[in-house]
């Protein structure tokens, strides 16, 4: 089921998500919905708070709709090593149409539970490293515009408020 993606600013997107205590069928159903929602929106990552669920769950696929597509779900992800620096022009499904440069670690190691509840450790670079940092930020109530200048952020905030007002006027659009 494709779920509705919250648009920033939204109070839920500022909250810290709670750790998953048990990886059960309800979490697996959430993961399935999050993948469907992410692919429908042409995203490469999605965090549970973006669909209104304050649990520490993220999904990623940096090569969607390609033969090498590799969907990854991470439950309770924790970045344990950060190395190097890189800058990438990021976007976010909760901030549609906007993109800004954000400084991140270039290579990270992340520890997480998979959908079977097994602990995994993965070293990530390139876009996957960016995406894991961006999505784990969401679990801590942070979005990419929190990393840019106040001036740019306030301009984007105005555009998002206008977008939300338009969507309320024309719900089908
Ligand atoms: Ni995002």
């Amino acid at each position: 089921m494709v779920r509705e993606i919250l648009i920033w600013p939204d109070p839920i997107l500022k909250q810290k998500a709670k750790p998953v205590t048990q990886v059960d069928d309800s979490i697996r159903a959430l993961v399935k919905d999050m993948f469907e929602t992410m692919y429908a929106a042409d995203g490469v990552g999605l965090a549970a708070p973006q669909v209104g669920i304050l649990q520490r769950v993220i999904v990623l696929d940096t090569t969607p709709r390609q033969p090498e597509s590799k969907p990854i779900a991470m439950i309770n992800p924790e970045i344990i090593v950060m190395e190097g620096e890189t800058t990438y022009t990021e976007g976010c499904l909760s901030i549609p149409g906007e993109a800004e440069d954000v400084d991140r670690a270039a290579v990270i190691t992340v520890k997480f539970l998979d959908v079977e509840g097994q602990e995994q450790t993965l070293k990530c670079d390139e876009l996957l490293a960016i995406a894991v940092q961006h999505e784990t930020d969401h679990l801590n109530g942070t979005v990419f515009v929190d990393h840019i200048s106040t001036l740019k952020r306030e301009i984007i905030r105005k555009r998002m408020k206008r977008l939300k007002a338009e969507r309320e006027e024309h719900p089908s659009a």
Side-chain angles (χ1 to χ4, degrees):
M1 185 183 76
V2 172
R3 301 200 187 191
E4 189 189 340
I5 298 174
L6 297 178
I7 301 299
W8 179 87
D10 185 292
I12 290 180
L13 295 174
K14 288 191 81 170
Q15 290 185 49
K16 203 171 149 88
K18 290 193 173 66
V20 171
T21 50
Q22 200 178 358
V23 182
D24 57 14
D25 285 347
S26 72
I27 293 297
R28 283 184 280 272
L30 171 65
V31 165
K32 186 170 176 281
D33 282 359
M34 285 172 63
F35 274 122
E36 286 178 24
T37 305
M38 180 187 81
Y39 289 128
D42 281 323
V44 297
L46 186 72
Q50 293 180 275
V51 293
I53 307 291
L54 286 166
Q55 299 225 64
R56 303 187 79 81
V57 179
I58 64 174
V59 296
L60 311 132
D61 186 346
T62 54
T63 50
R65 299 175 205 278
Q66 288 171 45
E68 68 272 25
S69 167
K70 201 177 164 215
I72 308 172
M74 297 184 179
I75 296 152
N76 299 342
E78 198 185 327
I79 296 169
I80 51 173
V81 184
M82 298 173 101
E83 298 162 275
E85 282 172 41
T86 190
T87 303
Y88 191 84
T89 310
E90 296 186 23
C92 179
L93 294 179
S94 291
I95 313 174
E98 304 292 341
E100 294 290 340
D101 285 354
V102 178
D103 297 329
R104 300 279 190 187
V107 182
I108 60 145
T109 303
V110 59
K111 195 174 80 175
F112 60 97
L113 300 177
D114 65 20
V115 289
E116 304 303 328
Q118 298 297 310
E119 193 173 299
Q120 305 284 344
T121 303
L122 187 66
K123 191 169 183 177
C124 313
D125 62 3
E126 300 187 336
L127 181 54
L128 185 57
I130 308 289
V132 170
Q133 291 171 85
H134 177 117
E135 301 311 332
T136 51
D137 262 5
H138 275 298
L139 303 180
N140 296 322
T142 300
V143 293
F144 82 88
V145 295
D146 292 321
H147 294 284
I148 65 177
S149 74
T150 306
L151 178 64
K152 282 182 178 173
R153 183 166 57 248
E154 293 314 309
I155 291 167
I156 292 174
R157 190 192 302 275
K158 284 199 185 96
R159 284 204 287 259
M160 290 302 110
K161 285 193 168 161
R162 205 177 308 140
L163 177 75
K164 282 208 259 197
E166 280 166 16
R167 286 189 180 185
E168 272 167 33
E169 262 181 64
H170 309 282
S172 59

